[in-house]
Amino acid sequence: MGKILLTSGQVSILLSSCIIIVFTVVLFLSGYIIQQRTVYSLQAAIRPNLPKPLPIPKPIDPPTLDVKWARPMGARPEVDETVDQMIAGQTLDWSRLGYAQVVKEHEEVCSAIMLLADIHRMKSPARKILLFPRVWLRTSEDEGYDAEMTTTRRLLKTAARRYGVSLIPMETIVDNADESLPSSYSLASLYTLINYERIVYIQGPGSLLDASALDSLLAFSKSEPMAAYPASPERKALSTSLLLVHPSLQSYRQLKELRSAKPMGDLSLFRQAFAAPESLISEWSLSMGNVVYESQKLRDAVDGFNATVFKGATTYVRLSDPELPGPEYDVPYYLRVELRPENLEARGAWEALYERFRQRRMEVCGLDLEYWKRPVLEAGSPDSG
Ligand SMILES: *[C@@H]1O[C@H](CO)[C@@H](O)[C@H](O)[C@H]1NC(C)=O
């Protein structure tokens, strides 16, 4: 009996020592954990702060990215990683993004500068570039006074000084071609701008209503050799009204070879070199409204057309009415009346676009509208006698 009692006493001692050991271990462990935590927070406290990723290089005025572009209709197709990165502001370097104009003849200089001036006025952070024939740099003192050349020089200086435009001389697209012919030059020269990652080209003459939408296109697109505005909604062919290009000497050489083999205009050249629909601006990018609108379409406006809504949804209007020589020309009033849209809202918008062009031409270039006479040879024309 005594032996058993002793044993149970031993058991109880054993039990209590076990309990003590367990508590000691628990106490030790909790102490250890607390200590480790303290060590971690100490380590964290003495570790230097990792630098945060650099913010986007701040342009003078950050672009207000347009909501039209941020919320397109429908789902966004397979998003490219690089696009997401760029949206995060990691790789957006505005000094490598630009708007370029290409002038091949004197008459185009003012309209090209007007577009770059619009981009400047709307405070786009992207660069502005003007490509012009190198032959214009040649001093022609012995050739006497050349009014066109004098105006062009004045305009180029204005572009550089007032609107911060980079002036870049270009060569003829075919080696040893006649430097004095506009047809010797090509939009393909855009591909020589290899210091830039992406370039937007807009075909003038026209009126830019919203630079921020184009800034978004420039900033948040993939770099591809060519992304052109489609010639029609069916997306069967490209047009040259709006181009987004990634300049590279490889593309330039290809175009130069094609063009050297056979004389052709820029539209044919680009259609041969770049297949549709692969080389068109994605439908997703164009789903926010009228990116490029031609003024002649205002004549098809139907009841319910709202000029305010039109302006809000339109990025760029190319002033192109086939019967008119261009917005640079002073067209007789009777002809305007014949051609202007019937719909009153659309007529207001159409007339305002041409009038704004006239005013801007005076402000930017100091030029009046050019004199224009309706061609005498026009079939069925009332004044053809
Ligand atoms: C055009 O639309 C705007 C905004 O939706 C509206 O305020 C305006 O009254 C409309 N104008 C006409 C003529 O319907």
Side-chain angles (χ1 to χ4, degrees), residues 304-309 345:
F305 176 91
N306 182 321
T308 317
V309 172
E345 277 271 308

Side-chain angles (χ1 to χ4, degrees), residues 42-51:
L42 266 176
Q43 279 175 343
I46 54 176
R47 193 190 304 140
N49 268 338
L50 285 177

